Amino acid sequence: MYIIGISCYYHDASAALLKDGIIVAAAQEERFTRKKHDTGFPINSIRYCLSSQNITIKDIEYIGFYEKPFIKFERVLFQHLEMFPLSLKTFLSSIPSWINEKLRVVRVIRKKLGYRKDILFIEHHMAHAASSFLISPFEKAAILTTDGVGEWTTTTYGIGKKNKIHLMKEIKFPNSLGLLYSTITAYLGFSVNNSEYKVMGLSAHGTMDRKSNPYYEKLKKVIDIKEDGSYRLNMDYFVYHYKDRMPSQKLCELLNGQIRKSESDVEQRHKDIAAALQLILEDVMTKMLNYIYKITKQENIVLSGGVALNSVYNGKILKNTKFKKVWIHPDPGDGGTSIGVASYIYHTILGKKRNFVLSNPYLGPKFSEEEIKKILDKNKIKYSDFKDEKELIKKTAKLIYDNNVIGWFQEGMEWGPRALGARSILSNPCNPKMQEILNLKVKHREKFRPFAPVVCEEDALKYFDCDNPVPEATDFMLMVYPIKKKYHKKIPAVTHVDGSGRLQTIRKFQNQLYYNLIKEFGKLSGIPILINTSFNIRGEPIICSPYDAYKCMMGTGIDYLVMNKFLIKREDNLRDAWDSEKYAHD
Ligand SMILES: [Fe+2]
């Protein structure tokens, strides 16, 4: 039985295909359209899912949608009516998209896909809960979902047992931990629904101490946190419920200054505000999780919703609470809900036994040796081939050791927002200049942002103060842990200002080539760790196809591209060189 799950029209559109309970394909629409966070109907993702299994839409039994649009529209109407006439402008601008697509999902699906069978809608936070619990390694677990907003709900908790999910309580719009984080993101001059992770990275540069941070007590005025972790926002500090901006003038006054202009300097004040926000998020999460532990009496916790992308906090969950194990979906934001709704239909609505754990994130398009060769030849790209896997590993490890920047294209594209060794840029973490080199050649990112290390799972505890055993969520780069002090100077390029690293762990069964490459680099350098950063041009989504990879290399300073068994050197193909920075936009 095949089921398709769809998420679209709000954040990151995506589609997932489930076959007899197993997720066999999934991808985000942005990777095909090359439009970052594309929210449009995921027609390309659906086509990919179908073609990956050689099936057509006629083979699909159910299609599931990740929210209930009419309930969401009710909330939109209500919030605008309540704030009328201040809300008139945003109301009028939002109406066309509701009328043309958001309220016509059934019609759109039938028309675009020629699909005639059942379409099921489930509540947004249930889709989040299902995306984390039903494909987790746990038979039983407590569940916490925290995002910006679904229909009305912004936070829920509950319990999952076998194939059933029981959500017990919820917090509703406009009270939202996700929207609080986004509001401060906007205040700090970064883009909402995109750059929240930059604020998280910036927080380490601020005063992460509740007593001495000058903004912690001030910012606490905007949120009333109860002992059980439930919270209410003081809406005088926000305008997102009726305007197309987020912070109010009163919030600017509280934080002693106007909204930071995006290209202006990041001052200590901004760093401290980011830290104060992170501290408050951690206060709420810890209180909530401790309460959920008390109520559910479960040893396992699963998380989802955009707030679960806060890897700085995720790495503290097991230390701050009594939970013994934690699991997080590789794409805990809205993108992941397409997997959630498909799994919910199969396991919970149809009552089928759970038979799948999402441990391998390589669910996207894959390209064979022949397909890649064809593309290289057609475009007259100069390349050489490795004679076997052993040579590929040896030569690539040496190129990285010699401080070259490598585009690495292997396996099926990763599911979720992080590059995990299928569409990655790899480089040498031991070189103190590598951060600068990467920024100069490819990334052009803000200086305060760290680069991430990847390490084989069994080596993680040697270099990082991880939870033991290392949670599977670390495989998806969702946990930040301290790097052991004696290695700070040995891997300076991935050691953040506070001594932490947002590591990825890799297990051999997930991606053997990647795993072997890291080990081989370890033989040369004495440290089996690489820098793993996403393979993309600034402001664009992660690459998807072989030609995207080549184009990205030729538009940046990536030195070599290792794609399947082919080695492509930038210098040999300079006639295709271009300057991606001329077109970059964050
Ligand atoms: Fe969500």
Side-chain angles (χ1 to χ4, degrees), residues 10-11 66 124-125 128 147-150 305-306 333-334 337:
Y10 193 45
H11 286 155
Y66 81 122
H124 184 60
H125 276 255
H128 273 312
D147 71 353
V149 59
D334 281 3
T337 55

Side-chain angles (χ1 to χ4, degrees), residues 349-365:
I349 295 180
L350 301 176
K352 309 264 190 196
K353 247 187 163 177
R354 283 171 58 198
N355 54 349
F356 175 68
V357 174
L358 183 59
S359 50
N360 203 321
Y362 307 110
L363 294 166

Side-chain angles (χ1 to χ4, degrees), residues 449-466:
R449 288 172 55 199
F451 284 100
V454 55
V455 62
C456 298
E457 187 263 340
E458 68 274 18
D459 296 330
L461 286 160
K462 180 173 174 191
Y463 298 97
F464 301 88
D465 279 321
C466 301

Side-chain angles (χ1 to χ4, degrees), residues 169 171 175 177 220 222-234 280-292 294:
K169 264 194 182 162
I171 296 173
N175 300 297
L177 195 55
K220 266 175 78 178
V222 312
I223 183 168
D224 177 20
I225 311 165
K226 303 278 185 246
E227 261 325 288
D228 62 1
S230 61
Y231 57 85
R232 275 187 85 81
L233 297 182
N234 180 339
I280 287 171
L281 176 121
E282 296 187 5
D283 291 347
V284 177
M285 291 295 280
T286 299
K287 282 189 168 158
M288 244 183 328
L289 286 167
N290 280 325
Y291 181 72
I292 294 169
K294 205 168 103 187

